[in-house]
Amino acid sequence: MEPVDEGSHSPKYSFCDDGGRPQIEKYPDEPKYRPNDNVYIRPTRTTTREGPYRVSSVENRKYTLCDVNGNVVKDGNAFEERDLELKDPFE
């Protein structure tokens, strides 16, 4: 097996050296939420929130939500990450 060169890339990880030990960093395009995460809808610049709902699907960092029974909510509209807030599992 060939050694990994500094700065080489794989589909899931990038290897970089910050002057100390090499480290693995995630690519920034990974979605913040995943299917089955419980989230609230909290539109930008508001204090009110709706939900919690479950993330049904993720496409291009836009999220479709469903209720606890799996029924899509808000007519299946997709939400931006900035309009969602992760539900605290200890609430």
Side-chain angles (χ1 to χ4, degrees):
M1 180 178 266
E2 304 247 343
V4 176
D5 292 330
E6 183 177 318
S8 67
H9 298 281
S10 75
K12 295 184 182 179
Y13 302 100
S14 87
F15 295 87
C16 63
D17 187 354
D18 65 356
R21 292 175 28 169
Q23 58 189 7
I24 299 174
E25 295 182 345
K26 290 182 182 178
Y27 283 130
D29 63 347
E30 196 169 303
K32 185 174 183 179
Y33 306 111
R34 298 177 185 270
N36 294 319
D37 280 351
N38 290 312
V39 296
Y40 290 101
I41 299 172
R42 180 181 234 156
T44 310
R45 298 185 183 100
T46 65
T47 57
T48 59
R49 62 184 188 180
E50 294 180 49
Y53 299 113
R54 187 170 292 150
V55 174
S56 175
S57 64
V58 182
E59 188 172 327
N60 297 325
R61 295 181 145 229
K62 293 193 179 203
Y63 301 84
T64 305
L65 308 177
C66 64
D67 61 18
V68 293
N69 297 316
N71 302 312
V72 293
V73 297
K74 303 291 181 177
D75 297 321
N77 290 325
F79 293 88
E80 302 274 344
E81 282 183 357
R82 68 176 180 254
D83 294 326
L84 300 176
E85 175 184 310
L86 188 64
K87 180 183 182 291
D88 185 345
F90 300 107
E91 283 186 338

